Amino acid sequence: MVLLHVLFEHAAGYALFAVREVEEISLLLPQVEESVLTVGKFHNVVKLVAFAPFKSAQSALENINAVSEGILHEDLRLLLETSMPAKKKKALLGVADAKIGAAILEELGYQCQTGGVVAEILRGIRLHFHALVKGLTAQSASKAQLGLGHSYSRAKVKFNVNRVDNMIIQSISLLDQLDKDINTFSMRVREWYGYHFPELIKIVSENYTYCRLAKFIGNRKELSEESLEGLEEIVMDSAKAQAILEASRSSMGMDISPLDLINIESFSSRVISLSEYRKGLQEYLRSKMSQVAPSLSALIGEVVGARLISHAGSLTNLAKYPASTVQILGAEKALFRALKTRGNTPKYGLIFHSTFIGRAAAKNKGRISRYLANKCTIASRIDCFSEVPTSVFGDKLREQVEERLAFYETGEPPRKNLEVMKEAVVEASEVVAQVKRKQEKKEKKKKKREKQRLEALAAAAEEVEENDIEPKKKKKKKKQQPEPETDSEPEENGLEEDALPKKKRKLMVEADEEKKKKKKKKEKARDAED
């Protein structure tokens, strides 16, 4: 009889359970499925054979990555080889994932089963795991799951910060929203200020310039020849500035109060700041596209490339799409409407905004859009999967599209794709080598700075230690210095001079010398008397 074992992967380790001899059909009955909810009844179904806890969090992460990728890890291999029955034909292993089951069958030769009874047993094990394994509490099991979940997510989400396409998606969405808002607010400024100076709308059509003029002019009656220089600076045209000045003198607009003018000027300044922010955002988008998708941006431009990435969801998703999908990306409604009504399907979607389709003749628009979509797919795949992104391939692909346009117009045959790609590979390899050399130089400089910093810290620490040691040595030297020898005799109390303080010792020596001098004088005086 075949004995069923079940493998359960937990954050704490691998567990191998043996299913007691029960009929498979009976396990699928509703009453038996309900008994899974109680620990006592479930103990009669399964029995713990072996439990191999993970040694560390790093080991747990390695094992869970291997399981998710369908690879048999060494820890799992050791558990199965030591705990499974020796007769492989009589053993059946139940696993949750078919991938890991295929890996076990290939490497160890154990037959694996998924779904059905195994799924029900695994559900019960998952529910009562902390009760089935001795020494494991529900709290420690949940902590292990939480820690492993965080580390697994962090490992999966690791990416190059400079190549994040999420920022491009958000930037292009915000750019489109800003365009709508600025247009709406500018129309409101035109309508509001138009009551006072209606002729200005006909002279100046651009929204940003109109808002700047509305803020600068204010009350049209106060406009004079002195303001002409300021008008020219805003409009960048002396004729237009003169026309504005003349129109202000003969305007049919109504008078406006100072309070209304203040509100119009403040609203105009808000629109101006929004327009300036939009310019900064566009520059940011351009720089991000040059980092993330340089080939795609070189081929069709930053804005259209960003819209394609945003619509696809990510650069990776866009790289997975075939050229036929990229061609009509953004025209899904038209496509489904055409399929429903059995009409003509759309020829282009978002790529219509590129300059190539606009430059092509009406009969060639479909052909050039198909060709352009093909090149966009190649560019997105190069950007997505290349280690060092460069715009070399994008420039070459753009040249190919230009040649194809010329071929449609004049009949001049374009270069073969193989020749162009060979040139691109040679140029790209040179660019990549230069980039790598620069990176190596930067790393060397960084290491050198770090080394100098560490050396400086070490030298400073040594100086501090020397400064601490020197005073102690001086004190010791002072104590060890021998005292000057004197020929003086010991004192009356029997103590030697070394035991006395220095000042007292000096006074004693001087007193002895004076006594000796006095004695000599007395002796000389006696000799003279004799």
Side-chain angles (χ1 to χ4, degrees), residues 476-509:
K476 286 178 182 177
K477 283 179 183 178
K478 283 180 182 178
K479 288 178 182 177
Q480 290 172 1
Q481 278 178 358
E483 299 298 337
E485 292 181 3
T486 53
D487 296 333
S488 58
E489 297 172 359
E491 291 296 311
E492 294 175 356
N493 57 4
L495 293 173
E496 292 182 357
E497 291 178 357
D498 292 341
L500 295 170
K502 284 183 179 181
K503 287 183 179 180
K504 286 186 177 181
R505 211 162 42 237
K506 284 181 181 180
L507 291 169
M508 297 280 286
V509 171

PDB file of all heavy atoms in Angstrom, residues 476-509:
ATOM      1  N   LYS A 476      56.116  59.925  36.496  1.00  0.00           N
ATOM      2  CA  LYS A 476      56.962  58.824  36.946  1.00  0.00           C
ATOM      3  C   LYS A 476      58.421  59.216  36.974  1.00  0.00           C
ATOM      4  O   LYS A 476      59.167  58.894  37.888  1.00  0.00           O
ATOM      5  CB  LYS A 476      56.767  57.618  36.036  1.00  0.00           C
ATOM      6  CG  LYS A 476      55.444  56.912  36.268  1.00  0.00           C
ATOM      7  CD  LYS A 476      55.283  55.734  35.303  1.00  0.00           C
ATOM      8  CE  LYS A 476      53.940  55.070  35.522  1.00  0.00           C
ATOM      9  NZ  LYS A 476      53.728  53.983  34.563  1.00  0.00           N
ATOM     10  N   LYS A 477      58.877  59.978  35.954  1.00  0.00           N
ATOM     11  CA  LYS A 477      60.267  60.416  35.875  1.00  0.00           C
ATOM     12  C   LYS A 477      60.622  61.316  37.040  1.00  0.00           C
ATOM     13  O   LYS A 477      61.683  61.232  37.621  1.00  0.00           O
ATOM     14  CB  LYS A 477      60.521  61.150  34.565  1.00  0.00           C
ATOM     15  CG  LYS A 477      60.664  60.200  33.390  1.00  0.00           C
ATOM     16  CD  LYS A 477      60.889  60.987  32.104  1.00  0.00           C
ATOM     17  CE  LYS A 477      60.965  60.041  30.912  1.00  0.00           C
ATOM     18  NZ  LYS A 477      61.140  60.805  29.656  1.00  0.00           N
ATOM     19  N   LYS A 478      59.705  62.180  37.401  1.00  0.00           N
ATOM     20  CA  LYS A 478      59.947  63.094  38.522  1.00  0.00           C
ATOM     21  C   LYS A 478      60.146  62.329  39.812  1.00  0.00           C
ATOM     22  O   LYS A 478      60.994  62.640  40.617  1.00  0.00           O
ATOM     23  CB  LYS A 478      58.784  64.068  38.673  1.00  0.00           C
ATOM     24  CG  LYS A 478      58.815  65.177  37.622  1.00  0.00           C
ATOM     25  CD  LYS A 478      57.640  66.107  37.821  1.00  0.00           C
ATOM     26  CE  LYS A 478      57.615  67.203  36.762  1.00  0.00           C
ATOM     27  NZ  LYS A 478      56.448  68.076  36.915  1.00  0.00           N
ATOM     28  N   LYS A 479      59.355  61.304  39.962  1.00  0.00           N
ATOM     29  CA  LYS A 479      59.471  60.509  41.179  1.00  0.00           C
ATOM     30  C   LYS A 479      60.783  59.726  41.209  1.00  0.00           C
ATOM     31  O   LYS A 479      61.380  59.538  42.244  1.00  0.00           O
ATOM     32  CB  LYS A 479      58.311  59.538  41.286  1.00  0.00           C
ATOM     33  CG  LYS A 479      57.018  60.217  41.626  1.00  0.00           C
ATOM     34  CD  LYS A 479      55.889  59.207  41.669  1.00  0.00           C
ATOM     35  CE  LYS A 479      54.570  59.900  41.954  1.00  0.00           C
ATOM     36  NZ  LYS A 479      53.449  58.957  41.938  1.00  0.00           N
ATOM     37  N   GLN A 480      61.270  59.282  40.054  1.00  0.00           N
ATOM     38  CA  GLN A 480      62.460  58.433  39.989  1.00  0.00           C
ATOM     39  C   GLN A 480      63.770  59.230  39.997  1.00  0.00           C
ATOM     40  O   GLN A 480      64.835  58.656  40.104  1.00  0.00           O
ATOM     41  CB  GLN A 480      62.407  57.566  38.725  1.00  0.00           C
ATOM     42  CG  GLN A 480      61.323  56.490  38.805  1.00  0.00           C
ATOM     43  CD  GLN A 480      61.161  55.775  37.476  1.00  0.00           C
ATOM     44  OE1 GLN A 480      61.875  56.086  36.538  1.00  0.00           O
ATOM     45  NE2 GLN A 480      60.216  54.850  37.422  1.00  0.00           N
ATOM     46  N   GLN A 481      63.719  60.600  39.817  1.00  0.00           N
ATOM     47  CA  GLN A 481      64.948  61.407  39.757  1.00  0.00           C
ATOM     48  C   GLN A 481      65.715  61.316  41.076  1.00  0.00           C
ATOM     49  O   GLN A 481      65.139  61.493  42.145  1.00  0.00           O
ATOM     50  CB  GLN A 481      64.599  62.875  39.489  1.00  0.00           C
ATOM     51  CG  GLN A 481      64.372  63.146  38.004  1.00  0.00           C
ATOM     52  CD  GLN A 481      63.974  64.583  37.773  1.00  0.00           C
ATOM     53  OE1 GLN A 481      63.843  65.340  38.723  1.00  0.00           O
ATOM     54  NE2 GLN A 481      63.814  64.945  36.521  1.00  0.00           N
ATOM     55  N   PRO A 482      67.067  61.033  41.017  1.00  0.00           N
ATOM     56  CA  PRO A 482      67.854  60.938  42.279  1.00  0.00           C
ATOM     57  C   PRO A 482      68.060  62.313  42.902  1.00  0.00           C
ATOM     58  O   PRO A 482      68.192  63.310  42.202  1.00  0.00           O
ATOM     59  CB  PRO A 482      69.191  60.359  41.796  1.00  0.00           C
ATOM     60  CG  PRO A 482      69.273  60.726  40.348  1.00  0.00           C
ATOM     61  CD  PRO A 482      67.876  60.773  39.840  1.00  0.00           C
ATOM     62  N   GLU A 483      68.054  62.356  44.206  1.00  0.00           N
ATOM     63  CA  GLU A 483      68.208  63.622  44.921  1.00  0.00           C
ATOM     64  C   GLU A 483      69.692  64.035  44.923  1.00  0.00           C
ATOM     65  O   GLU A 483      70.588  63.183  44.942  1.00  0.00           O
ATOM     66  CB  GLU A 483      67.770  63.443  46.391  1.00  0.00           C
ATOM     67  CG  GLU A 483      66.304  63.043  46.515  1.00  0.00           C
ATOM     68  CD  GLU A 483      65.379  64.081  45.965  1.00  0.00           C
ATOM     69  OE1 GLU A 483      65.770  65.254  45.888  1.00  0.00           O
ATOM     70  OE2 GLU A 483      64.256  63.730  45.566  1.00  0.00           O
ATOM     71  N   PRO A 484      69.988  65.334  44.900  1.00  0.00           N
ATOM     72  CA  PRO A 484      71.400  65.791  44.910  1.00  0.00           C
ATOM     73  C   PRO A 484      72.089  65.413  46.229  1.00  0.00           C
ATOM     74  O   PRO A 484      71.511  65.576  47.295  1.00  0.00           O
ATOM     75  CB  PRO A 484      71.275  67.311  44.764  1.00  0.00           C
ATOM     76  CG  PRO A 484      69.890  67.631  45.180  1.00  0.00           C
ATOM     77  CD  PRO A 484      69.049  66.453  44.857  1.00  0.00           C
ATOM     78  N   GLU A 485      73.323  64.876  46.108  1.00  0.00           N
ATOM     79  CA  GLU A 485      74.065  64.440  47.297  1.00  0.00           C
ATOM     80  C   GLU A 485      74.673  65.635  48.036  1.00  0.00           C
ATOM     81  O   GLU A 485      75.169  66.565  47.419  1.00  0.00           O
ATOM     82  CB  GLU A 485      75.212  63.510  46.871  1.00  0.00           C
ATOM     83  CG  GLU A 485      74.674  62.193  46.322  1.00  0.00           C
ATOM     84  CD  GLU A 485      75.816  61.286  45.933  1.00  0.00           C
ATOM     85  OE1 GLU A 485      76.991  61.651  46.138  1.00  0.00           O
ATOM     86  OE2 GLU A 485      75.501  60.190  45.417  1.00  0.00           O
ATOM     87  N   THR A 486      74.643  65.575  49.311  1.00  0.00           N
ATOM     88  CA  THR A 486      75.216  66.656  50.141  1.00  0.00           C
ATOM     89  C   THR A 486      76.162  66.027  51.169  1.00  0.00           C
ATOM     90  O   THR A 486      75.966  64.885  51.593  1.00  0.00           O
ATOM     91  CB  THR A 486      74.095  67.418  50.877  1.00  0.00           C
ATOM     92  OG1 THR A 486      73.287  66.476  51.578  1.00  0.00           O
ATOM     93  CG2 THR A 486      73.229  68.170  49.886  1.00  0.00           C
ATOM     94  N   ASP A 487      77.106  66.777  51.519  1.00  0.00           N
ATOM     95  CA  ASP A 487      78.091  66.296  52.498  1.00  0.00           C
ATOM     96  C   ASP A 487      77.659  66.548  53.942  1.00  0.00           C
ATOM     97  O   ASP A 487      78.413  66.368  54.865  1.00  0.00           O
ATOM     98  CB  ASP A 487      79.445  67.020  52.272  1.00  0.00           C
ATOM     99  CG  ASP A 487      79.987  66.648  50.914  1.00  0.00           C
ATOM    100  OD1 ASP A 487      79.652  65.534  50.434  1.00  0.00           O
ATOM    101  OD2 ASP A 487      80.721  67.472  50.329  1.00  0.00           O
ATOM    102  N   SER A 488      76.419  67.032  54.028  1.00  0.00           N
ATOM    103  CA  SER A 488      75.943  67.393  55.375  1.00  0.00           C
ATOM    104  C   SER A 488      75.767  66.145  56.219  1.00  0.00           C
ATOM    105  O   SER A 488      75.404  65.081  55.726  1.00  0.00           O
ATOM    106  CB  SER A 488      74.607  68.142  55.277  1.00  0.00           C
ATOM    107  OG  SER A 488      73.663  67.336  54.612  1.00  0.00           O
ATOM    108  N   GLU A 489      75.940  66.300  57.408  1.00  0.00           N
ATOM    109  CA  GLU A 489      75.841  65.200  58.355  1.00  0.00           C
ATOM    110  C   GLU A 489      74.410  64.985  58.755  1.00  0.00           C
ATOM    111  O   GLU A 489      73.575  65.881  58.598  1.00  0.00           O
ATOM    112  CB  GLU A 489      76.658  65.537  59.607  1.00  0.00           C
ATOM    113  CG  GLU A 489      78.135  65.681  59.294  1.00  0.00           C
ATOM    114  CD  GLU A 489      78.896  66.203  60.510  1.00  0.00           C
ATOM    115  OE1 GLU A 489      78.233  66.444  61.541  1.00  0.00           O
ATOM    116  OE2 GLU A 489      80.108  66.357  60.398  1.00  0.00           O
ATOM    117  N   PRO A 490      74.118  63.800  59.260  1.00  0.00           N
ATOM    118  CA  PRO A 490      72.744  63.553  59.684  1.00  0.00           C
ATOM    119  C   PRO A 490      72.331  64.474  60.813  1.00  0.00           C
ATOM    120  O   PRO A 490      73.152  64.973  61.554  1.00  0.00           O
ATOM    121  CB  PRO A 490      72.760  62.099  60.146  1.00  0.00           C
ATOM    122  CG  PRO A 490      74.165  61.661  60.176  1.00  0.00           C
ATOM    123  CD  PRO A 490      74.989  62.644  59.453  1.00  0.00           C
ATOM    124  N   GLU A 491      71.020  64.709  60.862  1.00  0.00           N
ATOM    125  CA  GLU A 491      70.488  65.639  61.866  1.00  0.00           C
ATOM    126  C   GLU A 491      70.518  64.995  63.254  1.00  0.00           C
ATOM    127  O   GLU A 491      70.806  63.794  63.387  1.00  0.00           O
ATOM    128  CB  GLU A 491      69.037  65.983  61.499  1.00  0.00           C
ATOM    129  CG  GLU A 491      68.920  66.822  60.236  1.00  0.00           C
ATOM    130  CD  GLU A 491      69.564  68.184  60.394  1.00  0.00           C
ATOM    131  OE1 GLU A 491      69.296  68.863  61.389  1.00  0.00           O
ATOM    132  OE2 GLU A 491      70.331  68.546  59.501  1.00  0.00           O
ATOM    133  N   GLU A 492      70.205  65.821  64.190  1.00  0.00           N
ATOM    134  CA  GLU A 492      70.247  65.369  65.586  1.00  0.00           C
ATOM    135  C   GLU A 492      69.204  64.316  65.879  1.00  0.00           C
ATOM    136  O   GLU A 492      69.410  63.451  66.716  1.00  0.00           O
ATOM    137  CB  GLU A 492      70.040  66.564  66.539  1.00  0.00           C
ATOM    138  CG  GLU A 492      71.174  67.553  66.482  1.00  0.00           C
ATOM    139  CD  GLU A 492      70.910  68.774  67.311  1.00  0.00           C
ATOM    140  OE1 GLU A 492      69.774  68.870  67.877  1.00  0.00           O
ATOM    141  OE2 GLU A 492      71.790  69.610  67.394  1.00  0.00           O
ATOM    142  N   ASN A 493      68.042  64.422  65.152  1.00  0.00           N
ATOM    143  CA  ASN A 493      66.969  63.450  65.410  1.00  0.00           C
ATOM    144  C   ASN A 493      67.218  62.111  64.712  1.00  0.00           C
ATOM    145  O   ASN A 493      66.407  61.211  64.800  1.00  0.00           O
ATOM    146  CB  ASN A 493      65.607  64.006  65.012  1.00  0.00           C
ATOM    147  CG  ASN A 493      65.601  64.419  63.539  1.00  0.00           C
ATOM    148  OD1 ASN A 493      66.588  64.210  62.827  1.00  0.00           O
ATOM    149  ND2 ASN A 493      64.489  65.003  63.128  1.00  0.00           N
ATOM    150  N   GLY A 494      68.380  61.990  63.982  1.00  0.00           N
ATOM    151  CA  GLY A 494      68.745  60.718  63.351  1.00  0.00           C
ATOM    152  C   GLY A 494      68.200  60.542  61.956  1.00  0.00           C
ATOM    153  O   GLY A 494      68.476  59.543  61.306  1.00  0.00           O
ATOM    154  N   LEU A 495      67.388  61.499  61.412  1.00  0.00           N
ATOM    155  CA  LEU A 495      66.835  61.374  60.058  1.00  0.00           C
ATOM    156  C   LEU A 495      67.814  61.909  59.053  1.00  0.00           C
ATOM    157  O   LEU A 495      68.515  62.873  59.310  1.00  0.00           O
ATOM    158  CB  LEU A 495      65.532  62.158  59.952  1.00  0.00           C
ATOM    159  CG  LEU A 495      64.346  61.625  60.774  1.00  0.00           C
ATOM    160  CD1 LEU A 495      63.210  62.606  60.688  1.00  0.00           C
ATOM    161  CD2 LEU A 495      63.941  60.246  60.320  1.00  0.00           C
ATOM    162  N   GLU A 496      67.867  61.287  57.862  1.00  0.00           N
ATOM    163  CA  GLU A 496      68.746  61.762  56.797  1.00  0.00           C
ATOM    164  C   GLU A 496      68.080  62.923  56.072  1.00  0.00           C
ATOM    165  O   GLU A 496      66.885  63.168  56.171  1.00  0.00           O
ATOM    166  CB  GLU A 496      69.006  60.622  55.806  1.00  0.00           C
ATOM    167  CG  GLU A 496      69.846  59.514  56.418  1.00  0.00           C
ATOM    168  CD  GLU A 496      70.135  58.421  55.433  1.00  0.00           C
ATOM    169  OE1 GLU A 496      69.609  58.527  54.301  1.00  0.00           O
ATOM    170  OE2 GLU A 496      70.838  57.494  55.789  1.00  0.00           O
ATOM    171  N   GLU A 497      68.884  63.643  55.275  1.00  0.00           N
ATOM    172  CA  GLU A 497      68.384  64.825  54.569  1.00  0.00           C
ATOM    173  C   GLU A 497      67.387  64.460  53.463  1.00  0.00           C
ATOM    174  O   GLU A 497      66.518  65.255  53.142  1.00  0.00           O
ATOM    175  CB  GLU A 497      69.561  65.570  53.926  1.00  0.00           C
ATOM    176  CG  GLU A 497      70.457  66.218  54.939  1.00  0.00           C
ATOM    177  CD  GLU A 497      71.643  66.904  54.296  1.00  0.00           C
ATOM    178  OE1 GLU A 497      71.775  66.807  53.067  1.00  0.00           O
ATOM    179  OE2 GLU A 497      72.376  67.533  55.027  1.00  0.00           O
ATOM    180  N   ASP A 498      67.557  63.248  52.888  1.00  0.00           N
ATOM    181  CA  ASP A 498      66.669  62.868  51.773  1.00  0.00           C
ATOM    182  C   ASP A 498      65.212  62.822  52.214  1.00  0.00           C
ATOM    183  O   ASP A 498      64.316  63.030  51.403  1.00  0.00           O
ATOM    184  CB  ASP A 498      67.064  61.494  51.238  1.00  0.00           C
ATOM    185  CG  ASP A 498      68.432  61.563  50.565  1.00  0.00           C
ATOM    186  OD1 ASP A 498      68.826  62.697  50.233  1.00  0.00           O
ATOM    187  OD2 ASP A 498      69.057  60.497  50.365  1.00  0.00           O
ATOM    188  N   ALA A 499      65.050  62.539  53.500  1.00  0.00           N
ATOM    189  CA  ALA A 499      63.677  62.430  53.985  1.00  0.00           C
ATOM    190  C   ALA A 499      63.029  63.786  54.180  1.00  0.00           C
ATOM    191  O   ALA A 499      61.828  63.880  54.315  1.00  0.00           O
ATOM    192  CB  ALA A 499      63.643  61.647  55.271  1.00  0.00           C
ATOM    193  N   LEU A 500      63.877  64.913  54.251  1.00  0.00           N
ATOM    194  CA  LEU A 500      63.331  66.245  54.496  1.00  0.00           C
ATOM    195  C   LEU A 500      62.896  66.900  53.199  1.00  0.00           C
ATOM    196  O   LEU A 500      63.398  66.584  52.120  1.00  0.00           O
ATOM    197  CB  LEU A 500      64.406  67.116  55.156  1.00  0.00           C
ATOM    198  CG  LEU A 500      64.848  66.672  56.542  1.00  0.00           C
ATOM    199  CD1 LEU A 500      66.074  67.474  56.943  1.00  0.00           C
ATOM    200  CD2 LEU A 500      63.739  66.868  57.551  1.00  0.00           C
ATOM    201  N   PRO A 501      62.025  67.879  53.309  1.00  0.00           N
ATOM    202  CA  PRO A 501      61.622  68.612  52.108  1.00  0.00           C
ATOM    203  C   PRO A 501      62.776  69.435  51.564  1.00  0.00           C
ATOM    204  O   PRO A 501      63.744  69.716  52.256  1.00  0.00           O
ATOM    205  CB  PRO A 501      60.489  69.515  52.594  1.00  0.00           C
ATOM    206  CG  PRO A 501      60.026  68.930  53.864  1.00  0.00           C
ATOM    207  CD  PRO A 501      61.202  68.219  54.471  1.00  0.00           C
ATOM    208  N   LYS A 502      62.659  69.858  50.262  1.00  0.00           N
ATOM    209  CA  LYS A 502      63.746  70.565  49.581  1.00  0.00           C
ATOM    210  C   LYS A 502      64.077  71.888  50.253  1.00  0.00           C
ATOM    211  O   LYS A 502      65.250  72.231  50.454  1.00  0.00           O
ATOM    212  CB  LYS A 502      63.359  70.834  48.130  1.00  0.00           C
ATOM    213  CG  LYS A 502      63.454  69.597  47.244  1.00  0.00           C
ATOM    214  CD  LYS A 502      63.123  69.973  45.819  1.00  0.00           C
ATOM    215  CE  LYS A 502      63.226  68.755  44.911  1.00  0.00           C
ATOM    216  NZ  LYS A 502      62.928  69.122  43.521  1.00  0.00           N
ATOM    217  N   LYS A 503      63.064  72.707  50.557  1.00  0.00           N
ATOM    218  CA  LYS A 503      63.294  74.043  51.133  1.00  0.00           C
ATOM    219  C   LYS A 503      64.028  73.932  52.474  1.00  0.00           C
ATOM    220  O   LYS A 503      64.975  74.675  52.743  1.00  0.00           O
ATOM    221  CB  LYS A 503      61.964  74.762  51.342  1.00  0.00           C
ATOM    222  CG  LYS A 503      61.348  75.216  50.010  1.00  0.00           C
ATOM    223  CD  LYS A 503      60.057  75.994  50.256  1.00  0.00           C
ATOM    224  CE  LYS A 503      59.450  76.469  48.949  1.00  0.00           C
ATOM    225  NZ  LYS A 503      58.223  77.219  49.166  1.00  0.00           N
ATOM    226  N   LYS A 504      63.590  73.011  53.283  1.00  0.00           N
ATOM    227  CA  LYS A 504      64.227  72.839  54.596  1.00  0.00           C
ATOM    228  C   LYS A 504      65.671  72.386  54.441  1.00  0.00           C
ATOM    229  O   LYS A 504      66.564  72.810  55.170  1.00  0.00           O
ATOM    230  CB  LYS A 504      63.469  71.815  55.431  1.00  0.00           C
ATOM    231  CG  LYS A 504      62.155  72.358  55.967  1.00  0.00           C
ATOM    232  CD  LYS A 504      61.519  71.355  56.916  1.00  0.00           C
ATOM    233  CE  LYS A 504      60.230  71.931  57.514  1.00  0.00           C
ATOM    234  NZ  LYS A 504      59.617  71.001  58.447  1.00  0.00           N
ATOM    235  N   ARG A 505      65.877  71.492  53.447  1.00  0.00           N
ATOM    236  CA  ARG A 505      67.212  70.978  53.205  1.00  0.00           C
ATOM    237  C   ARG A 505      68.160  72.105  52.798  1.00  0.00           C
ATOM    238  O   ARG A 505      69.304  72.187  53.249  1.00  0.00           O
ATOM    239  CB  ARG A 505      67.144  69.918  52.112  1.00  0.00           C
ATOM    240  CG  ARG A 505      68.202  68.850  52.294  1.00  0.00           C
ATOM    241  CD  ARG A 505      67.920  67.576  51.534  1.00  0.00           C
ATOM    242  NE  ARG A 505      67.426  67.730  50.214  1.00  0.00           N
ATOM    243  CZ  ARG A 505      66.279  67.223  49.756  1.00  0.00           C
ATOM    244  NH1 ARG A 505      65.513  66.509  50.566  1.00  0.00           N
ATOM    245  NH2 ARG A 505      65.882  67.404  48.514  1.00  0.00           N
ATOM    246  N   LYS A 506      67.674  72.989  51.928  1.00  0.00           N
ATOM    247  CA  LYS A 506      68.500  74.134  51.494  1.00  0.00           C
ATOM    248  C   LYS A 506      68.850  75.036  52.675  1.00  0.00           C
ATOM    249  O   LYS A 506      69.989  75.502  52.836  1.00  0.00           O
ATOM    250  CB  LYS A 506      67.769  74.947  50.437  1.00  0.00           C
ATOM    251  CG  LYS A 506      67.767  74.288  49.066  1.00  0.00           C
ATOM    252  CD  LYS A 506      67.027  75.176  48.071  1.00  0.00           C
ATOM    253  CE  LYS A 506      66.994  74.515  46.694  1.00  0.00           C
ATOM    254  NZ  LYS A 506      66.288  75.340  45.722  1.00  0.00           N
ATOM    255  N   LEU A 507      67.850  75.311  53.510  1.00  0.00           N
ATOM    256  CA  LEU A 507      68.086  76.169  54.685  1.00  0.00           C
ATOM    257  C   LEU A 507      69.119  75.539  55.639  1.00  0.00           C
ATOM    258  O   LEU A 507      69.986  76.246  56.190  1.00  0.00           O
ATOM    259  CB  LEU A 507      66.771  76.409  55.441  1.00  0.00           C
ATOM    260  CG  LEU A 507      65.738  77.281  54.701  1.00  0.00           C
ATOM    261  CD1 LEU A 507      64.400  77.225  55.416  1.00  0.00           C
ATOM    262  CD2 LEU A 507      66.231  78.737  54.642  1.00  0.00           C
ATOM    263  N   MET A 508      69.014  74.258  55.792  1.00  0.00           N
ATOM    264  CA  MET A 508      69.955  73.540  56.663  1.00  0.00           C
ATOM    265  C   MET A 508      71.389  73.642  56.136  1.00  0.00           C
ATOM    266  O   MET A 508      72.349  73.858  56.887  1.00  0.00           O
ATOM    267  CB  MET A 508      69.563  72.066  56.761  1.00  0.00           C
ATOM    268  CG  MET A 508      68.215  71.830  57.401  1.00  0.00           C
ATOM    269  SD  MET A 508      68.265  71.922  59.175  1.00  0.00           S
ATOM    270  CE  MET A 508      69.051  70.399  59.558  1.00  0.00           C
ATOM    271  N   VAL A 509      71.555  73.466  54.813  1.00  0.00           N
ATOM    272  CA  VAL A 509      72.885  73.535  54.182  1.00  0.00           C
ATOM    273  C   VAL A 509      73.484  74.923  54.357  1.00  0.00           C
ATOM    274  O   VAL A 509      74.678  75.089  54.689  1.00  0.00           O
ATOM    275  CB  VAL A 509      72.782  73.146  52.689  1.00  0.00           C
ATOM    276  CG1 VAL A 509      74.102  73.422  51.976  1.00  0.00           C
ATOM    277  CG2 VAL A 509      72.417  71.670  52.559  1.00  0.00           C
TER     278      VAL A 509
END
